[in-house]
Structures are given as C-alpha cells and as structure tokens.
Amino acid sequence: MKRKREMEKESELKSGIEELSLLIQLKSIHETDDGAYLPTRPFLYLCNLLIQLLDKIGPTMAVLRQDIYQNVQRLEMQCDSDPSLYSNLVEILKKEYTDGNARTGASSSKAFVWLTRSLDFTAALLQRLVMDPGEEMEQAVEDCYSITLKPWHGWISYAAFKIALKLIPDTKTLLNLLKPKDETCDELAQDVETFLSLLAPILEENHSVITHYRLDKMKST
C-alpha cells in the first residue's frame, strides 16, 4: 500500500516509467537462455497505473477499466495462491499450457493476453497524441482501437466500445489528465516518448510469449 500512495504523488506516466525501468532491470538480472522472464509485480503495478488513469478520465472507458481490473485481480489471485509465481509471470502461462488449462475458463493466460492487448491500445493512443496533439480524440481512439483491440472483440464488446466512444473527452482534456499541473506539453511529450521506448520491447516479448503458447488468436464475445 505504501508503494501505491507514493505513486499517487506523481503522474501515471512518470510512475509507469519507474515501473518499466525496474521491470527491465529485473529482466536483465534474471533472464536466461532457458526461457522468457517477466517479473510479475512490476507488470501488475504498470497495469494498475492504467486503471488509475482510466479512473481520472471517468466513466467513459468503464468497460475497458473493468476488464483490466478483473484481469489484474485474476493474476494476483493466482500468484497469492503460489507466491513463487510473483518472480516470473511467464511461469503461470507455462504451467497452464502444460496442464491444458490456458484457454479454458477464467485462466491467468487469458488475463495476460488481454492485459497485453490493453497496453497495446494505450501505447498506440499515446503515440498518436504525441504525433498530432491537435487531432480529434474520438478519431484517434477509434483508429487505435481498430488496430489493437477490435480484431479480437466480438460484437458485444464492439457494441460497448461504440457507445463509450461517444463520451470520450476532447484532446485537451485528456492531455491535461495525463500531466501534472506544473508540467508543460513539451515535457509531457518527452514523458510519453520515454514511456513508449521502455514499453515497446516489453510488449514485443509479451507477444512472442503469447504466440509461443498459442494464445495469439484468442477472441472475446
């Protein structure tokens, strides 16, 4: 809880940069040629920061927020039942794949897939904002959704997104939510670039793991 309170003192982006830096540092220490390594706690902290950001935006993205929250809770419950799994999240996927449970029920493997896709969407949107801060937010969100989440959503999820899209805040409002009050737009852009540069290799490896365990074609309703 102390760590969470400390994070609340700074922007989600700056906290995200700290978590990604820690994650990369831990990977460099523990990763071997035997398999992929993803420290569980920093990854879950990163996803919790995304939840905090969506809470700032308000009820507009409630469906995505709830999906991320449930998937984080699912992974945390799995790790709480076996604390050794906090050291390497990939071990959860490996175990479920070996047991034949990766694609059944509310598996942790499914949670990992959807958290990774949610981060894909976040990264695409942040990149879009940096490239063109004057773009209409509704168009940017729809385009990013189309390339990251829509291919895996069924009609129910897509219908929920279309409703939420009409309630998206404008670009200026969202940018103000992303940065501390005393930060300039240029400083925000630099934070976004740093965040994305750290996140990109993590997402690339996540997708490699997802493909390795044959979870890359998984769809929702």
Side-chain angles (χ1 to χ4, degrees):
M1 294 301 294
K2 180 181 179 181
R3 187 174 185 178
K4 182 177 180 181
R5 288 196 297 271
E6 289 173 349
M7 285 181 171
E8 288 172 350
K9 296 178 182 179
E10 56 188 13
S11 72
E12 287 76 17
L13 274 175
K14 290 185 181 298
S15 295
I17 290 169
E18 292 179 9
E19 288 305 316
L20 285 167
S21 298
L22 174 60
L23 192 157
I24 291 169
Q25 181 182 4
L26 290 171
K27 280 176 64 65
S28 67
I29 294 172
H30 296 286
E31 197 165 39
T32 68
D33 294 334
D34 296 333
Y37 178 86
L38 181 65
T40 306
R41 291 184 190 276
F43 180 75
L44 292 180
Y45 276 124
L46 179 65
C47 294
N48 273 313
L49 288 170
L50 181 52
I51 292 174
Q52 291 177 33
L53 178 59
L54 293 174
D55 284 341
K56 279 187 176 181
I57 295 174
T60 302
M61 302 299 287
V63 174
L64 178 60
R65 191 256 186 221
Q66 184 64 14
D67 183 61
I68 295 170
Y69 175 78
Q70 289 177 344
N71 287 323
V72 167
Q73 291 296 304
R74 192 180 306 167
L75 285 172
E76 287 183 339
M77 288 177 61
Q78 179 73 23
C79 291
D80 286 343
S81 66
D82 182 0
S84 67
L85 296 174
Y86 274 115
S87 63
N88 185 8
L89 195 154
V90 178
E91 289 299 319
I92 301 176
L93 278 67
K94 181 179 179 180
K95 185 178 186 302
E96 289 188 339
Y97 178 78
T98 301
D99 294 343
N101 299 324
R103 301 179 65 88
T104 61
S107 71
S108 295
S109 297
K110 288 182 179 180
F112 177 72
V113 169
W114 285 106
L115 287 174
T116 297
R117 289 171 177 172
S118 296
L119 288 169
D120 286 337
F121 169 76
T122 303
L125 184 58
L126 288 174
Q127 185 66 63
R128 190 76 170 250
L129 289 175
V130 170
M131 291 175 59
D132 186 4
E135 183 179 16
E136 288 292 330
M137 183 54 55
E138 184 175 335
Q139 185 62 54
V141 171
E142 184 165 20
D143 289 349
C144 293
Y145 171 81
S146 294
I147 63 175
T148 58
L149 292 173
K150 185 179 178 181
W152 316 112
H153 275 174
W155 71 270
I156 295 176
S157 298
Y158 179 63
F161 167 79
K162 292 297 289 184
I163 293 173
L165 187 63
K166 302 300 180 182
L167 304 173
I168 294 291
D170 60 44
T171 306
K172 182 179 179 180
T173 299
L174 183 55
L175 290 174
N176 286 334
L177 290 171
L178 284 172
K179 66 183 181 68
K181 292 181 179 179
D182 58 346
E183 188 175 71
T184 67
C185 290
D186 287 341
E187 289 172 327
L188 173 63
Q190 183 59 54
D191 284 346
V192 170
E193 291 289 358
T194 301
F195 178 82
L196 292 177
S197 67
L198 295 171
L199 181 60
I202 303 301
L203 289 179
E204 182 177 357
E205 182 166 344
N206 280 11
H207 281 289
S208 294
V209 170
I210 288 169
T211 300
H212 177 77
Y213 289 111
R214 300 179 183 177
L215 300 167
D216 51 313
K217 303 299 182 184
M218 185 181 294
K219 292 189 176 185
S220 69
T221 56

